[in-house]
Amino acid sequence: MNSTKITGAQAVLEALVAEEVNTIFGYPGGAIMPIYDALYDYADSVNHILVRHEQGAIHAAQGYARVSGKTGVVFATSGPGATNLITGLADALIDSTPVVCITGQVASHLLGTDAFQETDVIGISMPVTKWNCQVTKASEIPAAVAKAFYIAQSGRPGPVLIDITKDAQFEMMAFQYEKCTQIRSYQPKPELPIPAIEAASIVLNQAKKPLMLIGQGIMLSNAENELLQFAEKSGIPVASTLLGLGAFPNNHPLYVGFLGMHGDYAPNIKTNECDVLLAVGMRFDDRVTGDVSRYAKQASVIHIDIDASELNKIIKADVAVHADAKQALEKLTALVTKKEHLAWLQEFAAAKAMELYTLANTKKIMPSDELKMDEVVALLSELTQGEAVIVTDVGQHQMMAARYYQYNQTKSNVTSGGLGTMGFALPAAIGAKLGAPDKQVIAIIGDGGFQMTLQELGTILQSKMAVKIVILNNKFLGMVRQWQQLFFEKRYSFTEMVSPDFVALAKSYSIEAQKVEERTALKASLEQMLNHEGAYLLEVAVAKEENVFPMVPTGASVSEIRLV
């Protein structure tokens, strides 16, 4: 390959093109200006989305990555531009989202001098990235970018950051690019451990009451079909974590519900009644396990995960399988006996019926004229037939969306799981729409979370994104208020919110909007939003003191899940 002399800034763009990047989220500034100048000449091949805040850029990149299966790319300048990425990096790391962030930095001779807008972004970002590096010479850029993409998207995905000094961006270099396919001592995809898989199959074939817990690892390894084949052959009931929603169709007869603190009653209590617990691509988060000392003690635990550090970290596995979920399930399917667990499934159905009955009776004591979050989400699910991409923020609305939207498509649930980042949904929905342009993308947001990143309405305006926004406005920081009601004697300390006129705010950004307060107008309002060609904001006034149940109180066992 003949080498060509170009600047380091041009090398960044050429490397991204070589990695088939066609979408970048970013915000320009002094230290990254040479890269933005080079970007000017790539307008035909690279779509740059100008966000209104760097946190918006990385959340948008996360949304893009989650629905497209590609790696999100972010540009930011030095100092505050780079530090504004930290929340998103932490979010992407814990939720295993592949993102490559490229930050500008002051010139190399100024490093360590407290120059204008200089921060030690490498030191700051080290705990919240899968890998990071600083580049001070143009010649280092191609290899750094290639390595970044390989690390971000291989094995358990995650965010990486490359910090490039300004002089390296100006420096001339002979450009050559070679994709990275391996790194010494880094083995992202382990060899399939056949003995462990065989041991797992023996345990499963002897099981009378098995339960399968699935996480986002199913989607990250593209194992949806393998999961379906395994479940249908083994007859094992399937329950999902928050981030696993959509990996297995919610309308499948073997699907038994959503796990966790605000998950469904049946899979939570049956976790402590099953004889074999098969966990695939999930990490036994504390919101799933409750009190670990009383979690599935009666069960033989089989844990399959691509990240060896997750095995035996929280829950000790009787059979630990360090493997890619797709490969493991394919092999396991061949080894398990075809079965039906009809009586066991009937126990789940009975528990679900109890939950529905109890929740219905609870609602009877609430004012009937007030719209409820669950009915809004359930109607939205019905109108979209469970085929939209739902992007949620963090709080009560997030749990309601997880509980009452029927996720029948893979990669259709985008939310901040491990970090619980308020303000995530609006920018993430922008990225999700770019990652899945042919799908209906709906952001369901609380009035609190919306106001953390509402400036990204400007990004929707400028980029003409057909994102649909549903604000469930209960005039409270709802989840915190619920805890204050249940555990702090209704001492509502600084959780009641006074908000702006959301409809007027949206219209000031040329986004169509309306507010609905009456049940009789809800369906028509949702249909109008869904049928509108461009972006749309629908504010729904919901009950101020509605709670999310079931609920596993902090420190309780999953068996102690409360229905009221």
Side-chain angles (χ1 to χ4, degrees):
M1 177 180 176
N2 293 326
S3 60
T4 307
K5 287 274 189 179
I6 59 175
T7 66
Q10 290 172 310
V12 170
L13 273 300
E14 286 294 325
L16 294 178
V17 170
E19 291 289 346
E20 301 178 7
V21 172
N22 55 22
T23 303
I24 298 170
F25 304 91
Y27 202 93
I32 200 170
M33 206 174 296
I35 290 176
Y36 268 90
D37 183 66
L39 181 61
Y40 190 85
D41 297 323
Y42 288 81
D44 293 336
S45 57
V46 177
N47 180 25
H48 179 274
I49 304 300
L50 177 64
V51 297
R52 297 304 183 264
H53 190 284
E54 291 86 358
Q55 184 177 345
I58 190 162
H59 290 330
Q62 289 176 268
Y64 175 85
R66 293 270 286 273
V67 301
S68 69
K70 300 176 182 178
T71 299
V73 179
V74 175
F75 283 173
T77 194
S78 63
T83 59
N84 282 342
L85 299 177
I86 299 302
T87 296
L89 287 169
D91 195 293
L93 184 67
I94 199 166
D95 282 354
S96 307
T97 306
V99 177
V100 171
C101 294
I102 296 175
T103 56
Q105 183 56 278
V106 300
S108 55
H109 73 279
L110 293 174
L111 291 173
T113 68
D114 293 331
F116 177 68
Q117 290 192 332
E118 183 203 356
T119 56
D120 178 11
V121 67
I122 296 300
I124 292 171
S125 66
M126 190 173 291
V128 291
T129 51
K130 189 177 176 184
W131 177 75
N132 67 8
C133 74
Q134 187 171 75
V135 171
T136 58
K137 296 183 181 302
S139 60
E140 301 168 347
I141 289 172
V145 173
K147 188 174 180 179
F149 273 86
Y150 178 63
I151 291 173
Q153 58 200 11
S154 60
R156 180 179 179 175
V160 301
L161 182 143
I162 308 173
D163 193 44
I164 308 177
T165 60
K166 197 168 184 178
D167 51 325
Q169 297 173 48
F170 278 122
E171 187 182 4
M172 300 299 293
M173 62 166 295
F175 181 79
Q176 286 186 317
Y177 194 79
E178 184 177 342
K179 285 193 176 185
C180 181
T181 57
Q182 63 176 8
I183 299 171
R184 189 176 66 177
S185 78
Y186 173 58
Q187 296 179 320
K189 195 168 185 177
E191 288 187 17
L192 191 64
I194 300 300
I197 294 287
E198 291 174 341
S201 70
I202 292 170
V203 175
L204 288 167
N205 286 335
Q206 294 173 345
K208 303 298 182 186
K209 293 185 173 184
L211 175 59
M212 186 176 187
L213 313 182
I214 62 165
Q216 189 188 198
I218 297 291
M219 291 178 282
L220 293 174
S221 64
N222 298 309
E224 294 92 338
N225 289 334
E226 287 74 15
L227 169 62
L228 188 63
Q229 291 169 18
F230 171 80
E232 292 182 342
K233 183 179 180 183
S234 68
I236 299 176
V238 178
S240 174
T241 66
L242 176 63
L243 292 186
L245 289 169
F248 192 79
N250 285 187
N251 57 3
H252 195 284
L254 287 173
Y255 181 73
V256 294
F258 162 52
L259 293 161
M261 177 176 280
H262 290 290
D264 295 311
Y265 183 65
N268 274 298
I269 63 168
K270 294 302 176 185
T271 297
N272 278 2
E273 296 177 18
C274 66
D275 58 359
V276 175
L277 193 67
L278 170 60
V280 185
M282 57 87 72
R283 58 187 182 85
F284 289 111
D285 174 75
D286 61 290
R287 289 296 173 102
V288 165
T289 63
D291 180 2
V292 294
S293 70
R294 292 181 285 164
Y295 183 82
K297 291 301 180 182
Q298 80 295 336
S300 295
V301 177
I302 302 167
H303 191 183
I304 300 172
D305 205 282
I306 199 167
D307 185 351
S309 71
E310 293 295 346
L311 300 173
N312 297 310
K313 184 175 83 173
I314 307 295
I315 300 298
K316 188 180 186 310
D318 296 278
V319 183
V321 183
H322 181 211
D324 172 72
K326 186 183 184 77
Q327 291 181 328
L329 286 172
E330 186 176 29
K331 183 64 177 176
L332 203 53
T333 302
L335 296 174
V336 296
T337 305
K338 184 170 179 59
K339 284 187 179 181
E340 290 184 329
H341 296 280
L342 299 180
W344 177 228
L345 282 166
Q346 188 55 44
E347 291 187 35
F348 283 90
K352 181 177 180 180
M354 181 189 297
E355 174 185 327
L356 293 175
Y357 176 79
T358 305
L359 293 181
N361 283 336
T362 302
K363 287 177 189 173
K364 288 178 182 178
I365 65 174
M366 295 183 67
S368 59
D369 59 332
E370 293 182 321
L371 278 168
K372 311 299 188 297
M373 287 181 281
D374 61 334
E375 66 178 305
V376 178
V377 174
L379 182 55
L380 185 62
S381 181
E382 179 186 324
L383 293 174
T384 59
Q385 299 181 310
E387 295 181 353
V389 174
I390 302 298
V391 187
T392 56
D393 217 81
V394 173
Q396 286 183 315
H397 71 276
Q398 178 191 32
M399 295 298 102
M400 291 294 191
R403 291 181 49 77
Y404 294 101
Y405 194 88
Q406 191 168 56
Y407 297 92
N408 296 325
Q409 302 290 326
T410 186
K411 297 181 175 69
S412 61
N413 168 50
V414 180
T415 194
S416 173
L419 196 65
T421 305
M422 290 180 68
F424 173 86
L426 185 60
I430 294 170
K433 186 62 180 176
L434 280 161
D438 297 329
K439 290 191 175 183
Q440 186 80 265
V441 174
I442 306 167
I444 300 177
I445 317 178
D447 47 314
F450 180 75
Q451 292 181 79
M452 287 197 169
T453 51
L454 63 79
Q455 70 272 6
E456 298 309 328
L457 292 175
T459 306
I460 294 174
L461 166 65
Q462 185 164 348
S463 302
K464 298 180 173 61
M465 295 290 167
V467 172
K468 308 300 164 64
I469 304 160
V470 177
I471 299 176
L472 298 180
N473 188 356
N474 58 10
K475 300 182 180 180
F476 267 107
L477 294 174
M479 188 61 83
V480 185
R481 185 214 55 77
Q482 176 170 336
W483 282 52
Q484 288 173 336
Q485 177 186 336
L486 298 177
F487 308 116
F488 292 88
E489 301 176 338
K490 291 190 177 182
R491 290 163 59 87
Y492 295 157
S493 179
F494 300 101
T495 47
E496 190 162 8
M497 297 204 79
V498 175
S499 299
D501 183 335
F502 291 127
V503 171
L505 181 69
K507 289 185 175 180
S508 74
Y509 284 94
S510 300
I511 295 171
E512 285 297 315
Q514 68 167 308
K515 181 177 182 178
V516 58
E517 299 179 86
E518 303 294 333
R519 183 171 285 105
T520 53
L522 179 61
K523 184 176 181 181
S525 298
L526 287 170
E527 288 175 334
Q528 184 174 342
M529 176 191 75
L530 293 171
N531 293 330
H532 185 73
E533 288 188 6
Y536 198 99
L537 185 148
L538 179 65
E539 179 188 356
V540 184
V542 295
K544 289 184 69 174
E545 296 189 72
E546 180 183 5
N547 290 331
V548 187
F549 284 106
M551 179 180 185
V552 180
T554 300
S557 162
V558 290
S559 298
E560 297 170 328
I561 185 169
R562 292 174 51 172
L563 285 173
V564 291

